[in-house]
Amino acid sequence: MEEGNLSFTVDEALVGIGFGKFQLYVLAYAGMAWVAEAMEMMLLSFVGPAVQSLWNLSAREESLITSVVFAGMLIGAYSWGIVADKHGRRKGFIITAVVTFLAGFLSSFAPNYMSLIILRCLVGLGLGGGPVLVSWYLEFIPAPNRGTWMIVFSAFWTVGTIFEAALAWLIMPSLGWRWLLALSSVPSSLLLLFYRWTPESPRYLILQGRKAEAQSILEKIAIMNGTPLPKGVLRSEIETENKNLPTESTHLLKPEETGEAGPLSKIVPPDNNGPGFMLLTLLSPELIKRTLLLWVVFFGNAFAYYGVVLLTTELNNSQNSCNPTGKGLQHSSNDVNYKDVFIASFAEFPGLLISAATVDRLGRKFTMSSTLFLCCIFLLPLLTHQSPTITTALLFGGRICVSAAFAVIYIYAPEIYPTSVRTTGVGVASSVGRIGGVLCPLVAVGLVHGCHQTVAVLLFVVVMFVSGICVCLFPFETSGRELTDTISASKQQPPPSSFSV
């Protein structure tokens, strides 16, 4: 860069500013949203058995209480992703927070089964906005710190699951499921209280041509962190590439350096960025391989994670008719062993420690694939009935592994898409994952209640194994790479060696 004409990109600004007070604030806000989502998902393990006894529901009707939440999330993840890519990250996640809080709180007053189903579906619709906050948070984190701090962010999910298990242990035996639903909606309300202080993503702003606003936000970040911005003016990645100005770091979607690739263009032109076009973009020749593999991995992770959570209550239910000591299919909230569920929730902390120790050193792909394969090994003994102690121990080990894999896929997914379709890409992948969530209760609850534990566990093992294979087939590693805003017309990707850290 010539003297007197200095400029910098968003990535260069974030690296120069470093991780500081501002990022901690963003972490706290996004983390609270992750706590809220984890609590709303975890309570499904407790509400189903409680209302099954109260309203004399069948196993299918009980499983539907969980499935409709995932169905809502399937729609919401895709819809809110498009809203966030077209209208901004802030507008995307404030709408989801309002929907989640109102529907979650009103669920506690549901007078009958059908109203509860409708309200929980609306909760799922709101929870589908989770990927928007993940992308928003990630876009403020400097590349050298991204893996570690995304794992720290994932820890908020674990905090939410443990807090919900503890809350259920305290509330359910005495006050019942309605109080649990009402209190579990409180974290979502906190997002509304602090929304006015949340900034828009500078990556989104610069992609929309709002360079002055983006630079203003970066200046505020620098002031809060007590470090100066790089000298010069903010420039977009498009300007850099069109001028053929090389960067020091290799971008995630950088074209081959040999041959004339022509100038890079925005992946979603501003005049043609409707929902259908954005979905087709994800299936374009440049992105289709990673998109399809990502869908399979998200499906497998969601199916396995929520399956392990639900199996913790279902396999240890003292009234399961398939258990030699069981007396029938009817069970109530008092039959759920809250202590076992509470203990199993702590399995996510070792999972996060494992992923934190390996995600930057050994890479995203190795961490995901190895933990998914290990989870298969933990679940294999459950093909036959085991004692409650062994069952809890095996599910504890399985949850360590699947929570580690789940944490890393939420790091990897936003890193492989450009800013213009990042939340849409992650949102669609998350939606596919929700299909796994919809089917999961039918397996974990329906098959186990129908005395088909072997078939249920075998399905979980097969899905996780296939997901692990798909992780191995991902074309590149993203550890330590900068985020990107654009892709080239070239369909070739850099060789794997160019992504070494």
Side-chain angles (χ1 to χ4, degrees), residues 335-414:
D335 296 324
V336 177
N337 192 323
Y338 295 105
K339 183 180 71 173
D340 285 349
V341 177
F342 182 71
I343 292 172
S345 299
F346 277 93
E348 299 195 13
F349 276 123
L352 291 175
L353 291 176
I354 290 172
S355 55
T358 58
V359 70
D360 283 328
R361 292 179 177 85
L362 301 178
R364 281 55 158 155
K365 291 177 61 178
F366 176 84
T367 303
M368 284 189 286
S369 59
S370 60
T371 51
L372 284 170
F373 292 144
L374 280 173
C375 190
C376 293
I377 294 174
F378 276 112
L379 292 191
L380 281 174
L382 294 176
L383 289 171
T384 58
H385 288 281
Q386 305 292 336
S387 68
T389 301
I390 294 177
T391 298
T392 300
L394 291 171
L395 290 174
F396 189 91
R399 192 156 172 180
I400 288 176
C401 297
V402 74
S403 61
F406 218 160
V408 179
I409 192 61
Y410 268 103
I411 301 173
Y412 187 82

Side-chain angles (χ1 to χ4, degrees), residues 8-10 201-211 213-215 218 234-239 266 419 485:
F8 57 88
T9 63
V10 173
S201 166
R203 289 184 180 279
Y204 167 80
L205 292 173
I206 199 169
L207 194 65
Q208 300 300 312
R210 296 155 64 181
K211 192 181 299 184
E213 294 177 60
Q215 179 145 355
L218 291 172
L234 181 64
R235 72 176 186 273
S236 68
E237 186 178 274
I238 299 171
E239 293 172 335
K266 290 171 67 175
T419 300
D485 298 327

Side-chain angles (χ1 to χ4, degrees), residues 84-100:
D85 278 334
K86 292 183 66 176
H87 304 291
R89 308 325 192 203
R90 294 181 79 246
K91 289 183 180 178
F93 62 68
I94 187 58
I95 299 173
T96 66
V98 171
V99 173
T100 302

Side-chain angles (χ1 to χ4, degrees), residues 27 43 67 73 143 206 208 220 254 331 362-363 412 463 471:
L27 172 64
L43 66 79
S67 294
M73 293 176 80
I206 199 169
Q208 300 300 312
K220 292 177 181 178
K254 184 179 177 182
H331 57 278
L362 301 178
Y412 187 82
V463 169
V471 170

Side-chain angles (χ1 to χ4, degrees), residues 281-294 417:
T281 300
L282 300 178
L283 298 176
S284 64
E286 297 87 352
L287 300 177
I288 187 169
K289 180 178 181 180
R290 73 203 66 178
T291 294
L292 295 179
L293 289 173
L294 197 65
Y417 287 119

